[in-house]
């Protein structure tokens, strides 16, 4: 099983390489993660890079982001605003936005 | 590669979990897609400016033109702070230079007509232009005739419900008022732009009066029987200013005497349906509202004067390829706010970019937050996340700041602080 995944990942990466080299990777696309994260950028600045005094949320480890968002939602981590937004997303959605923001 | 189509390729990436990996690297997921075409956006406010920005960001090859009547945009958010003398006007005024720098064509002119069939937009200057898609976010217009004399009081009883000269006029009148005077605030029946707006306004005027004219009073003569964030506003008023008859803020709901029937600028009085009369030294009459003229003339409004749209894409229900955003549209459970318009604009941009690239749009997702300052250091808010279910926008999670003193004082202070962060961020999203 593990082997198969590794093999497929390798194949996909290879294909991506071809596409990039061929210059086919072009503009004009919006992923689910980008759309989700754009709703965080409203308060956390472009690319989640912060907007005084709201903190930067870019470049965070995906697991850490999902963890703190779940903690906001359960109010284990106290917040004035975040608990209400964090409660609105599934774990899968949190992962997608976290992955997008990590690369910013 | 030739014998593998795009969907297969994406499926393969998806199977390996590499799809998300690609976005991490900043590489678009659907590497074979290319969105191109021409889109005209009309209205450079919360909906329109955001939509133009995100069309360009997600579809750099799309030819995006923004048409806006004014050369500068003054935000309604934080205009109550200007009204109360806490902020100068230039701090809430923005140019479109940031959009131009990103390759968005910005035309300063009024759109006089939109032909929904041919996607042709006509300008006041006489020119016209066509596009593949047209996005309209023209905001609201005031409708007159529901209250006697309501069309004659824009100068004597300024609405200040579109930020700009009206804000400064009302500010001047409040400044000129004697200590011991009465300010009347008259909110229209729902739905109107910014449901908490009139109550934030009462709060910040109270803050000014408390410090400068402490014998003065504010009476909110409401045409509604309840209002946004009611418990939290009332607790804040009691805490900071005093609330009730004879106190600094007195709120009179619709059920006490009915809606407003008449405003009289010669005597500066307001009469309710069942005869109650109020006299004000300063009167803020906020007129009834509908979607802006542009969408009426284009035949896009329903019987109530708002635009019905498919709430995932914001495409008009009566005109294909024409999209309506923001205050002008009917957006399920979302209130008419700048944050809502911004969120709608992102979904609309995602729908258009995807369509021009021949893809399905990602699952829509929406959010709103309305901060209100009860004083410059005391904030409350309402926030919600929404999803698209059974054809309309429905709430998934939501919450209002608990009424004082349920939280510690620093909570309300932090909300006031983060309200500024929200403003800095959302205006960067639109104009940066
Ligand atoms: C006092 C007050 C306080 C508020 N505070 C908040 C807040 O704290 N948070 C919040 O989220 N919301 C707030 N709002 C609400 C917010 O301002 C609106 O919901 C928001 O502006 C709606 O965006 P829009 O794009 O629909 O319209 P607008 O922002 O009004 O933009 C419409 C634009 O279209 C242009 N236009 C119209 N017709 C034409 C035409 N024919 N040709 C060319 N251009 C045209 C107009 O000039 C305007 O620039 C507040 C509102 C008020 C009145």
């Amino acid at each position: 099983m593990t082997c198969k995944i590794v093999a497929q990942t390798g194949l996909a990466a290879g294909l991506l390489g071809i596409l990039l080299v061929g210059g086919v990777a072009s503009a004009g696309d919006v992923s689910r993660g980008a759309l989700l994260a754009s709703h965080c950028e409203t308060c956390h600045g472009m690319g989640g890079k912060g907007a005084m005094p709201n903190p930067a949320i870019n470049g965070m480890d995906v697991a850490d982001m999902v963890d703190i968002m779940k903690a906001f939602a359960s109010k284990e981590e106290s917040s004035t605003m975040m608990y209400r937004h964090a409660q609105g997303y599934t774990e899968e959605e949190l992962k997608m936005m976290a992955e997008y923001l990590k690369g910013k | 590669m030739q014998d593998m189509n795009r969907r297969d390729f994406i499926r393969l990436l998806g199977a390996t979990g590499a799809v998300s990996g690609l976005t991490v690297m900043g590489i678009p997921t659907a590497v074979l897609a290319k969105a191109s075409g021409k889109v005209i956006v009309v209205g450079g406010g919360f909906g329109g400016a955001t939509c133009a920005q995100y069309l360009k960001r997600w579809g750099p090859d799309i030819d995006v033109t923004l048409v806006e009547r004014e050369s500068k945009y003054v935000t309604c958010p934080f205009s109550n702070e200007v009204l109360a003398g806490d902020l100068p006007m230039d701090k809430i005024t923005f140019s479109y230079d940031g959009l131009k720098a990103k390759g968005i064509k910005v035309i300063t002119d009024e759109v006089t007509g939109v032909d929904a069939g041919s996607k042709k937009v006509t300008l006041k200057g006489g020119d016209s232009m066509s596009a593949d898609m047209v996005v309209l976010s023209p905001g609201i217009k005031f409708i007159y005739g529901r209250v006697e004399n309501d069309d004659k009081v824009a100068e004597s009883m300024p609405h200040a419900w579109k930020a700009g000269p009206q804000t400064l006029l009302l500010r001047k009148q409040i400044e000129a008022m004697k200590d011991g005077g009465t300010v009347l605030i008259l909110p229209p029946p729902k739905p109107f732009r910014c449901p908490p707006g009139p109550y934030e306004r009462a709060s910040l005027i109270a803050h000014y009066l408390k410090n400068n004219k402490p014998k003065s009073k504010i009476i909110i003569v409401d045409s509604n029987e309840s209002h946004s964030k009611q418990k939290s506003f009332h607790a804040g008023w009691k805490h900071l200013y005093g609330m009730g008859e004879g106190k600094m803020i007195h709120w009179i709901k619709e059920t006490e005497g009915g809606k407003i029937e008449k405003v009289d600028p010669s005597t500066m009085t307001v009469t309710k349906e069942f005869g109650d009369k109020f006299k004000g030294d300063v009167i803020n009459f906020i007129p009834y509202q509908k979607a802006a003229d542009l969408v009426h003339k284009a035949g896009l409004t329903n019987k109530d004067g708002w635009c019905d749209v498919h709430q995932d894409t914001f495409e008009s229900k009566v005109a294909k390829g024409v999209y309506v955003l923001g205050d002008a549209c009917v957006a399920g459970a979302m209130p008419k706010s700048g944050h809502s318009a911004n969120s709608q604009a992102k979904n609309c941009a995602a729908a258009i970019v995807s369509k021009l690239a021949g893809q399905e749009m990602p699952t829509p997702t929406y959010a709103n937050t309305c901060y209100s300052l009860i004083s410059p250091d005391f904030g409350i808010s309402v926030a919600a996340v929404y999803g698209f279910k059974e054809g309309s926008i429905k709430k998934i999670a939501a919450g209002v700041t608990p009424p004082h003193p349920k939280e510690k004082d620093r909570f309300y202070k932090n909300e006031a602080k983060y309200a500024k962060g929200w403003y800095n961020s959302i205006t960067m999203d639109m104009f940066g």
Side-chain angles (χ1 to χ4, degrees), chain A residues 8 12 15-16 19 24 26-29 32 38-39 41-46 52-54 81 84-85 99-100 103, chain B residues 9 13 16 20 22 24 28-29 31 33 57-58 60 102 343 346 359 363 365 369 371 381 399 418 421 424-426:
Chain A
Q8 284 191 348
L15 285 173
L16 177 68
L19 290 170
V24 197
S26 70
D29 163 65
R32 178 104 189 275
S38 72
H39 286 79
E41 295 177 84
T42 315
C43 287
H44 287 284
M46 291 265 242
M52 278 303 288
N54 292 3
M81 175 53 65
R84 295 174 260 174
H85 285 280
E99 268 155 10
Y100 175 86
Chain B
F9 176 65
L13 292 179
T16 63
S20 38
L22 293 181
V24 167
T29 309
V31 272
R57 178 164 161 187
W58 287 331
K102 287 183 179 149
S343 171
K346 289 168 179 172
Q359 299 176 341
T363 309
T365 180
T369 304
Y371 279 107
S381 61
Y418 289 130
N424 291 341
S425 188
I426 198 168

Side-chain angles (χ1 to χ4, degrees), chain B residues 11-197:
Chain B
R11 209 173 296 133
L12 172 59
L13 292 179
T16 63
V19 163
S20 38
L22 293 181
T23 30
V24 167
M25 291 185 274
I27 297 160
T29 309
V31 272
L32 293 181
K34 189 181 172 96
S36 64
K38 180 166 181 184
V39 183
I40 299 171
V41 181
V42 183
F46 278 82
T50 308
C51 194
Q53 289 266 14
Y54 277 78
L55 282 167
K56 205 59 187 170
R57 178 164 161 187
W58 287 331
D61 295 335
I62 299 174
D63 177 351
V64 183
T65 302
L66 175 72
V67 191
E68 162 60 50
R69 188 194 285 133
E70 312 289 337
S71 60
K72 295 227 154 91
Y73 183 77
V74 184
T75 68
C76 284
F78 278 74
S79 67
N80 284 331
E81 284 69 6
V82 174
L83 195 60
D86 296 326
L87 207 62
M89 199 70 171
D90 65 327
K91 287 274 192 273
I92 62 163
T93 306
F94 295 84
S95 84
Y96 292 95
D97 293 349
L99 287 89
K100 289 179 198 159
K102 287 183 179 149
I104 296 163
K105 292 180 195 130
V106 180
I107 298 175
T108 308
D109 203 339
E110 181 173 314
V111 172
T112 50
V114 176
D115 183 65
S118 60
K119 318 282 170 292
K120 197 170 95 181
V121 165
T122 311
L123 305 180
K124 197 173 183 182
D127 290 349
S128 66
M129 47 191 183
S130 302
D132 298 306
M133 286 143 179
V134 178
V135 179
L136 308 173
S137 192
I140 53 155
K141 72 161 176 178
F142 300 121
I143 47 166
Y144 298 108
R146 301 283 175 90
V147 173
E148 200 179 325
N149 293 328
D150 60 1
D151 58 335
K152 301 183 185 74
V153 299
E155 296 296 311
S156 52
M157 305 179 180
H159 56 75
W161 219 243
K162 288 184 182 172
Q166 276 275 315
T167 314
L168 295 176
L169 179 62
L170 186 57
R171 165 85 192 133
K172 235 168 67 191
Q173 296 182 359
I174 294 166
E175 266 187 305
M177 190 180 82
K178 64 178 188 292
D179 190 10
T182 301
V183 179
L184 299 183
I185 298 177
L186 316 177
K190 295 168 195 165
F192 57 89
R193 128 178 308 183
C194 195

Side-chain angles (χ1 to χ4, degrees), chain B residues 311 331-333 366 385-397:
Chain B
Q311 294 178 15
Y366 324 77
V385 176
Y386 309 82
F388 183 69
K389 280 184 211 140
E390 290 142 17
S392 77
I393 298 171
K394 303 214 167 63
K395 241 180 229 174
I396 293 173

Side-chain angles (χ1 to χ4, degrees), chain B residues 198-259:
Chain B
Y199 315 96
E200 179 189 62
R201 174 167 291 176
S203 311
L204 291 177
I205 295 175
H207 171 75
Y208 165 78
L209 295 177
K210 186 179 169 179
N211 290 331
N212 296 282
K213 293 158 189 173
K215 293 197 289 256
S216 310
K217 306 254 173 310
I218 298 165
I219 306 175
I220 306 167
V221 187
D222 214 325
S223 292
N224 301 283
E225 53 181 300
S226 64
H227 68 78
S228 168
K229 296 181 252 185
Q230 185 164 317
K231 284 188 184 145
S232 305
F233 265 115
H234 292 189
W237 291 345
K238 279 179 196 142
H239 175 56
L240 294 170
Y241 309 115
M243 178 192 168
E245 207 168 345
K247 299 277 173 54
M248 187 168 263
I249 301 182
H250 184 31
W251 177 63
I252 298 173
K253 57 185 164 192
E254 190 262 344
T255 37
E256 297 168 31
K259 294 199 170 46

Side-chain angles (χ1 to χ4, degrees), chain A residues 44-62:
Chain A
H44 287 284
M46 291 265 242
K49 292 181 178 121
M52 278 303 288
N54 292 3
I57 55 166
N58 60 326
M60 276 174 76
D61 181 72
V62 172

